[in-house]
Amino acid sequence: MEEVEESVNFITCAVWVPRGAAKENPDKVEVSKEDLARIIAETKDNIEELEEVNEEEYEAIENEASGTAAAGTSKRALREDDTIDFDVRYQLKDYEEEEDSEDKLKQLLQLGSMAVHASNEEDPYVTLKDEEDDDDSEKENHAILPSDNLIAVGHVEGEAAILEVYVYNEAASLYVHHDILLPAVPLAMEWLNYDPSDEQLKPANLVAIGSMSPVIDVWDLDLVDSLEPAFSLGSKAKKKKKIPGVGHKKPVLSLAWNKHAEHVLASGSVDETVILWDMQHGTVAQQLKSFEEKVQSLAWHHQESHGLAAGSCDGKVRIFDCRGEETCKTWKVDGEVECVLWDALSPVSYNCLASTDKGKVYLIDARQEKPLWTLDAHTEACTGIVMSPKCPGCLVTISSDKTTKIWDIVGEAPALVEQREPKLGTMTCLASCPDLPFVFCMGGDNKKNNFKVWDIRESEKVRARFCGRVGLPADCDEMEVENGTPNADPSAAPVSTQPQPATSQAATANPNPRPKFKKKKGGHLDRRRRRT
């Protein structure tokens, strides 16, 4: 019998978690009867609210979607409307964001018989108990080591929206540690280690998710089998109870956490606004309304807590000074802005990069009136741009043209160093590992292969061009990067121009063997752990 392919299977967003931020052994959620009753009651209320949505609004959306598709914009990202463009971009004509309300409620009501126990010893229905050795082995395989990074990944498969938490260790393997079923399709993610519920303000391991819902959910990555977020920002209006909504009115497309003012999270939405959230009180601190279209990307300045860069579909890059009234400086670019970011390693601390749906990349000095240069990076939309966190001038871009490129932007003009086609389909997201200078993850819409972690040192050209900038020889391995001087002055170590043989990752010593995992059809990883 042939395996039936899922109708859709793609990655929407991803974010890395720094080493040491996650618990070695994540906690397992145990749902009490009271909590379960509360969740069921809240979900029932939400379903009733959904049933009250005006059918005329959906008809208008469908009509506009057909017109947009006919105009040839099928490959653009969330342009005309939250539901319209999501459908247009991924050809999700048959995708339904919400399941049938009656079936959904029935499924939820069955959760009471699905209680999670910490071990088989505590489960009264399991007669064959765990052997002690097997239990210890499972805990060891499930543990997150200090040398591990986590990657939170937004995944849509069939009708399911999923948060997958990967473990990455360059000396061992890449696999899904645990996953969480999300209530809405994720569109943006931001990691933060600020937990407002902790009075002692201890470092946390949370991920904020912007989705097709106007409410931002923040999930605890140190909890396995979570049924609900740690907390949420905003709320939907409840017409039946005449309760006004708080926060955004439409899907959230972008998020940015302020590392210098840890209680502040910025969010950009289809509703053409940016909201600055005070997470400590769960309230709106400020709302920016200078936009004429959807806000697709946000980035806080790496040194100044009040500087916020924003890119929107009105073809403008804006930099806000959030200390007072809504003031900003604006640059007009060619096309709708896909991404903005600050170049944190540039000697010029005011350099900001932006990419557009025309495939262009701009370098903007916030003190200048015009961009310093414009790069024709791709033939289609440049959907992601990321700078290496430790190697100056190393820029990676991805595009709807299914390619990824590596650029050197040190000097007067950028230079193309390497170009690859990862075979992930239309590229949708890109993120850099915060602890390693040359490791990136990327996602796309290829149903059979849609997520990849890439060490760009696989390319001889990359090694020859960039390794010297972090004080390493061109044939270095990643372990040397950790013990080297990743922020060394580029002039202190000459860049080798002679190609060097690739370093075999398989030859890297692994003092802490970890279970290996293989891919299965449909793009998922096989989650079965091997016992040792």
Side-chain angles (χ1 to χ4, degrees), residues 174 420 422 424 440-443 449-454 458:
L174 172 72
R420 295 285 179 90
L424 299 177
F440 302 81
C441 72
M442 54 196 71
N449 178 36
N450 51 34
F451 182 70
K452 177 179 181 178
V453 174
W454 184 27
E458 292 177 6

Side-chain angles (χ1 to χ4, degrees), residues 101-368:
S101 59
E102 186 177 347
D103 291 341
K104 189 172 183 179
L105 185 57
K106 286 180 180 178
Q107 291 174 11
L108 190 62
L109 290 171
Q110 293 171 358
L111 286 174
S113 61
M114 297 170 61
V116 177
H117 297 274
S119 68
N120 285 346
E121 294 291 335
E122 300 176 13
D123 193 335
Y125 298 102
V126 175
T127 55
L128 183 62
K129 305 301 180 182
D130 290 330
E131 293 184 12
E132 191 171 330
D133 291 343
D134 285 348
D135 191 45
D136 291 341
S137 176
E138 183 68 21
K139 286 182 179 178
E140 183 180 348
N141 286 343
H142 204 64
I144 297 171
L145 304 179
S147 58
D148 290 339
N149 283 103
L150 298 186
I151 315 173
V153 178
H155 190 176
V156 174
E157 185 172 13
E159 294 185 351
I162 310 163
L163 167 60
E164 294 178 329
V165 183
Y166 284 77
V167 170
Y168 171 75
N169 187 311
E170 77 281 2
S173 58
L174 172 72
Y175 63 94
V176 174
H177 185 273
H178 62 278
D179 52 26
I180 298 169
L181 191 63
L182 298 175
V185 172
L187 303 176
M189 286 186 179
E190 182 77 337
W191 179 79
L192 47 136
N193 67 356
Y194 173 80
D195 184 356
S197 65
D198 188 342
E199 295 180 357
Q200 298 179 353
L201 296 180
K202 295 178 182 178
N205 183 23
L206 306 173
V207 63
I209 298 181
S211 68
M212 295 292 285
S213 165
V215 178
I216 300 165
D217 288 332
V218 182
W219 297 82
D220 190 340
L221 297 181
D222 286 335
L223 289 180
V224 178
D225 299 328
S226 297
L227 292 179
E228 58 182 345
F231 64 94
S232 298
L233 298 172
S235 61
K236 295 180 182 179
K238 296 184 178 180
K239 297 179 181 179
K240 186 176 181 181
K241 298 180 180 179
K242 297 182 180 180
I243 299 175
V246 175
H248 291 297
K249 297 178 175 60
K250 293 186 178 181
V252 177
L253 305 180
S254 51
L255 296 168
W257 176 49
N258 193 328
K259 295 180 181 178
H260 300 288
E262 295 184 336
H263 64 291
V264 177
L265 179 74
S267 60
S269 170
V270 173
D271 64 17
E272 303 177 13
T273 68
V274 167
I275 289 179
L276 306 186
W277 296 92
D278 179 352
M279 291 188 288
Q280 186 175 1
H281 301 96
T283 58
V284 175
Q286 190 175 359
Q287 191 166 21
L288 308 177
K289 301 179 180 179
S290 301
F291 306 93
E292 301 163 19
E293 257 289 359
K294 303 165 189 62
V295 184
Q296 295 210 118
S297 184
L298 296 169
W300 287 104
H301 193 272
H302 47 286
Q303 293 177 347
E304 299 178 354
S305 62
H306 56 271
L308 178 66
S312 65
C313 291
D314 57 15
K316 294 178 182 178
V317 176
R318 295 174 175 85
I319 296 179
F320 291 87
D321 184 340
C322 299
R323 288 176 293 186
E325 297 296 325
E326 186 173 339
T327 58
C328 68
K329 192 171 181 179
T330 304
W331 291 263
K332 180 67 178 175
V333 296
D334 182 15
E336 300 172 350
V337 182
E338 294 276 354
C339 292
V340 293
L341 63 86
W342 295 95
D343 185 355
L345 299 184
S346 170
V348 180
S349 63
Y350 299 102
N351 278 0
C352 173
L353 291 119
S355 69
T356 73
D357 69 331
K358 302 294 186 182
K360 298 181 183 296
V361 175
Y362 294 82
L363 178 63
I364 295 170
D365 184 334
R367 302 166 298 178
Q368 305 293 329

Side-chain angles (χ1 to χ4, degrees), residues 14-70:
V15 66
W16 289 78
V17 176
R19 289 176 178 173
K23 285 186 177 180
E24 180 180 358
N25 292 294
D27 299 322
K28 210 164 189 178
V29 174
E30 294 183 15
V31 184
S32 66
K33 292 182 179 179
E34 292 77 11
D35 285 340
L36 188 60
R38 176 181 54 80
I39 294 171
I40 291 173
E42 289 176 358
T43 304
K44 186 176 180 181
D45 288 342
N46 291 337
I47 292 171
E48 290 175 355
E49 291 293 335
L50 287 171
E51 290 174 346
E52 293 178 4
V53 174
N54 192 330
E55 293 182 1
E56 293 179 2
E57 293 180 7
Y58 282 100
E59 289 176 6
I61 288 173
E62 289 174 0
N63 293 336
E64 192 175 348
S66 340
T68 305

Side-chain angles (χ1 to χ4, degrees), residues 60-62 64-65 68 80-89:
I61 288 173
E62 289 174 0
E64 192 175 348
T68 305
E80 300 302 323
D81 190 273
D82 48 320
T83 306
I84 298 173
D85 297 306
F86 187 74
D87 181 68
V88 168
R89 183 174 188 180

Side-chain angles (χ1 to χ4, degrees), residues 440-494:
F440 302 81
C441 72
M442 54 196 71
D445 64 359
N446 184 337
K447 295 180 181 180
K448 295 183 179 179
N449 178 36
N450 51 34
F451 182 70
K452 177 179 181 178
V453 174
W454 184 27
D455 184 339
I456 62 174
R457 291 170 309 144
E458 292 177 6
S459 164
E460 292 182 0
K461 295 177 182 177
V462 168
R463 293 198 303 277
R465 189 89 175 199
F466 293 117
C467 280
R469 293 189 188 177
V470 293
L472 298 168
D475 59 351
C476 68
D477 63 27
E478 204 66 37
M479 302 308 289
E480 290 179 273
V481 172
E482 296 173 19
N483 300 321
T485 54
N487 291 317
D489 185 342
S491 62

